[in-house]
């Protein structure tokens, strides 16, 4: 079964240029010299538009600033910190880390935490948070998120699908529209931290979340990798993305960094850091290594059961690593 949604207008008629500095200019990279900009009422109609490859798209696209941005700004006023969890590579445990980060933040009962899953085609957060059977309720004031704890709100497209096996086969505009709804229509309430779990890569979802939050600001990104070079080379692309769109990088996390035996606590390297791992890359690029989270088979078990690994196995070296990383993120953000 394919998930469907009523068509939503794209936030911009043109994709952002690959060399954007902070966020999209209203002038495409391949536009002629006197381009009026895609938001202008003259877009696609001015004399300068003649011969431009974007002319037809500009002429048909919506004009003026996105009318939903003020609604997003108003809803996000009550969210103090917004942290993206990114990785250019799939399979490095990014969603697992996002869930662990959220559990760790919410361990402080005074800390109001939210996690927003914008991995539209592969939503894992409902399972990881123990909310696979949850649904979303709507009211006149918006969508109510699901709650893993009294102080841990969760929103994901996974709550909107008829079953866990339903595919979401959407192009960019529909993905962008749903992310916009998560930001402007969800009753997040007062949050100290919002953790945003993203899909791999540097595509529609990433550009959308940055564009929609450009006025309220993103406090930083945590980049997750594994030790081997095949993951590191894609994370370098993610670092380049962050620098081009102006997202502060809080630091790197090396996930699956060695295997710790649950019985004897001895550690072995499963994914060998042949080029020095995240630590060497961080030194090369001037980015802090926030910590290394070792492999522990019980992490996978608790994730499948929707439980907090940190609560179930507080003495695990992986739990200690998570807590140290959270502490360092707080310090960098000035919250300690």
């Amino acid at each position: 079964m394919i998930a469907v949604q009523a068509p939503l207008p794209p936030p911009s008629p043109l994709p952002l240029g690959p060399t954007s500095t902070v966020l999209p200019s209203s002038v495409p990279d391949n536009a002629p010299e006197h381009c009026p900009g895609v938001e202008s009422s003259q877009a696609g109609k001015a004399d300068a538009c003649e011969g431009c490859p974007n002319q037809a798209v500009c002429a048909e696209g919506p004009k003026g600033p996105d009318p939903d941005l003020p609604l997003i700004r108003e809803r996000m006023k009550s969210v103090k910190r917004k942290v993206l969890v990114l990785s250019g590579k799939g399979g490095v445990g990014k969603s697992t880390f996002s869930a662990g980060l959220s559990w760790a933040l919410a361990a402080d009962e005074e800390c109001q935490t939210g996690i927003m899953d914008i991995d539209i085609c592969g939503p894992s957060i409902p399972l990881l948070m123990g909310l696979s059977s949850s649904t979303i309720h709507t009211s006149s004031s918006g969508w109510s998120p699901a709650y893993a704890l009294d102080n841990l709100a969760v929103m994901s497209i996974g709550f909107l699908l008829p079953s866990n096996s339903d595919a979401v086969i959407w192009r960019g505009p529909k993905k962008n529209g749903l992310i916009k709804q998560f930001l402007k229509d969800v009753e997040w309430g007062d949050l100290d931290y919002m953790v945003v779990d993203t899909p791999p890569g540097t595509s529609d979802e990433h550009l959308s979340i940055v564009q929609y939050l450009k006025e309220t600001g993103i406090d930083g990104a945590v980049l997750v990798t594994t030790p081997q070079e095949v993951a590191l080379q894609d994370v370098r692309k993610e670092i380049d993305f962050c620098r081009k769109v102006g997202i502060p990088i809080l630091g790197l996390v090396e996930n699956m960094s060695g295997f710790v035996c649950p019985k004897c606590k001895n550690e072995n390297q499963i994914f060998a850091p042949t080029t020095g791992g995240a630590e060497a890359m961080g030194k090369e690029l001037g980015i802090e290594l926030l910590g290394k989270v070792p492999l522990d088979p019980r992490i996978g078990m608790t994730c499948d059961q929707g439980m907090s690994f940190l609560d179930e196995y507080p003495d695990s070296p992986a739990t200690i690593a998570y807590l140290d990383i959270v502490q360092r993120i707080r310090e960098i953000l000035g919250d300690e």
Side-chain angles (χ1 to χ4, degrees), residues 71-78 141 183-186:
L71 301 176
I72 293 173
R73 182 172 63 247
E74 186 64 28
R75 185 74 81 174
M76 290 293 107
K77 276 184 180 179
S78 61
S141 57
L183 291 169
K184 74 182 180 69
D185 293 337
V186 174

Side-chain angles (χ1 to χ4, degrees), residues 226-227 254-273 277 279 289 291-299 315-321:
T226 47
E254 186 175 271
N255 201 23
M256 308 183 202
S257 181
F259 168 72
V260 177
C261 175
K263 296 186 180 297
C264 68
K265 300 296 190 290
N266 285 334
E267 183 174 340
N268 293 291
Q269 294 295 328
I270 303 297
F271 302 111
E279 186 171 4
L289 177 64
K292 299 181 179 182
V293 181
L295 277 166
D296 187 322
R298 298 171 298 184
I299 294 177
D315 298 327
S316 167
T319 294
I320 296 169

Side-chain angles (χ1 to χ4, degrees), residues 92-126:
V92 298
K94 175 176 43 54
S95 294
T96 301
F97 177 80
S98 296
L101 176 60
S102 302
W103 286 118
L105 290 168
D108 177 359
E109 295 181 359
E110 300 300 317
C111 181
Q112 299 299 317
T113 306
I115 179 167
M116 182 169 65
D117 181 6
I118 63 168
D119 191 344
I120 305 300
C121 294
S124 303
I125 293 301

Side-chain angles (χ1 to χ4, degrees), residues 14-280:
L14 291 173
L16 309 187
T19 56
S20 301
T21 50
V22 176
L23 262 182
S25 162
S26 65
V27 178
D29 287 342
N30 59 347
E33 182 179 358
H34 299 294
C35 172
V38 298
E39 295 180 352
S40 169
S41 61
Q42 292 300 305
K45 302 174 183 177
D47 291 342
C49 299
E50 291 297 326
C52 175
N54 306 306
Q55 184 177 13
V57 178
C58 289
E60 297 175 2
K63 305 298 187 292
D66 188 334
D68 288 323
L69 289 180
L71 301 176
I72 293 173
R73 182 172 63 247
E74 186 64 28
R75 185 74 81 174
M76 290 293 107
K77 276 184 180 179
S78 61
V79 180
K80 294 179 182 177
R81 299 290 191 192
K82 294 171 282 294
V83 177
L84 306 188
V85 179
L86 303 171
S87 179
K89 193 72 172 174
V92 298
K94 175 176 43 54
S95 294
T96 301
F97 177 80
S98 296
L101 176 60
S102 302
W103 286 118
L105 290 168
D108 177 359
E109 295 181 359
E110 300 300 317
C111 181
Q112 299 299 317
T113 306
I115 179 167
M116 182 169 65
D117 181 6
I118 63 168
D119 191 344
I120 305 300
C121 294
S124 303
I125 293 301
L127 174 64
L128 300 178
M129 307 305 292
L131 297 170
S132 294
S133 59
S134 296
T135 56
I136 297 304
H137 301 283
T138 60
S139 67
S140 58
S141 57
W143 295 355
S144 297
Y147 282 85
L149 298 171
D150 290 342
N151 63 329
L152 180 49
V154 184
M155 177 54 71
S156 169
I157 191 177
F159 299 137
L160 308 176
L161 300 177
S163 77
N164 293 336
S165 59
D166 286 348
V168 179
I169 306 176
W170 289 356
R171 294 188 186 274
K174 279 192 176 182
K175 293 180 179 180
N176 300 343
L178 184 64
I179 293 170
K180 183 187 290 185
Q181 286 185 278
F182 283 176
L183 291 169
K184 74 182 180 69
D185 293 337
V186 174
E187 296 182 275
W188 290 105
D190 295 327
L191 294 182
D192 295 298
Y193 292 92
M194 174 183 282
V195 177
V196 182
D197 183 44
T198 66
T202 55
S203 191
D204 291 311
E205 294 90 337
H206 309 80
L207 292 169
S208 294
I209 194 70
V210 175
Q211 182 177 358
Y212 296 152
L213 293 178
K214 65 181 178 180
E215 294 186 21
T216 58
I218 294 170
D219 293 280
V222 176
L223 276 65
V224 181
T225 185
T226 47
Q228 70 273 40
E229 179 60 27
V230 70
L232 295 172
Q233 71 174 6
D234 284 343
V235 175
R236 288 187 182 94
K237 297 180 178 70
E238 200 78 36
I239 292 169
D240 185 50
F241 167 81
C242 289
R243 289 175 170 169
K244 284 179 176 176
V245 301
I247 302 174
I249 299 175
L250 300 177
L252 299 165
V253 171
E254 186 175 271
N255 201 23
M256 308 183 202
S257 181
F259 168 72
V260 177
C261 175
K263 296 186 180 297
C264 68
K265 300 296 190 290
N266 285 334
E267 183 174 340
N268 293 291
Q269 294 295 328
I270 303 297
F271 302 111
T274 54
T275 57
E279 186 171 4

